[in-house]
């Protein structure tokens, strides 16, 4: 688990206060609004950190891994799958596992 020292707390508090200023304090109590604003600001900071880490990892990936992940993303974003799509996603995930296991970056939690 990450600690608060790794995050810029001033930026998080500034973002929380921006949310508080936009909120209707007359409708809800200040404590409720501030609590929700802080949760949202921390959540956004953690999400940004995760996205940065993902982009760094993506930049270090080989072109083959990037291509396969792109094809998987295209298939996963489809709203309606047909029978060939199911077969294709299986082949792509197996190829991705094979490429990652050769490079030593294989993580079995997600393909």
């Amino acid at each position: 688990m990450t600690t608060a020292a790794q995050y810029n707390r001033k930026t998080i508090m500034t973002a929380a206060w921006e949310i508080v200023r936009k909120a209707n304090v007359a409708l809800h109590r200040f404590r409720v609004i501030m609590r929700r604003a802080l949760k949202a600001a921390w959540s956004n900071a953690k999400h940004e950190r995760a996205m940065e880490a993902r982009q760094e990892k993506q930049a270090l990936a080989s072109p083959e891994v990037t291509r396969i992940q792109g094809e998987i993303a295209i298939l996963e974003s489809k709203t309606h799958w047909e029978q060939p799509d199911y077969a294709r996603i299986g082949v792509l995930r197996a190829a991705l596992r094979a490429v990652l296991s050769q490079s030593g970056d294989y993580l079995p939690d997600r393909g």
Side-chain angles (χ1 to χ4, degrees):
M1 181 155 210
T2 58
T3 62
Q6 296 174 340
Y7 291 93
N8 186 346
R9 290 179 286 179
K10 181 179 179 179
T11 305
I12 293 170
M13 285 300 293
T14 303
W17 273 106
E18 287 177 15
I19 294 170
V20 169
R21 285 187 202 105
K22 294 177 185 177
N24 187 357
V25 180
L27 185 61
H28 300 287
R29 292 188 331 235
F30 173 76
R31 294 176 96 183
V32 172
I33 293 171
M34 189 62 173
R35 180 176 57 237
R36 290 178 182 169
L38 281 170
K39 285 182 181 181
W42 273 103
S43 177
N44 288 340
K46 290 176 183 179
H47 177 73
E48 288 175 7
R49 167 86 43 96
M51 290 293 103
E52 289 172 1
R54 184 176 183 190
Q55 288 174 349
E56 289 174 5
K57 187 175 179 181
Q58 191 75 22
L60 297 175
S62 70
E64 183 67 15
V65 170
T66 305
R67 182 190 64 79
I68 294 171
Q69 287 176 337
E71 289 184 33
I72 290 173
I74 290 169
L75 273 176
E76 288 178 342
S77 66
K78 290 178 75 171
T79 56
H80 178 74
W81 281 28
E82 296 178 6
Q83 190 62 37
D85 295 332
Y86 291 102
R88 181 76 178 139
I89 196 79
V91 170
L92 287 171
R93 286 182 176 158
L96 182 62
R97 281 192 299 271
V99 170
L100 290 177
S101 67
Q102 289 174 356
S103 65
D105 294 337
Y106 177 61
L107 298 174
D109 61 340
R110 173 124 192 198

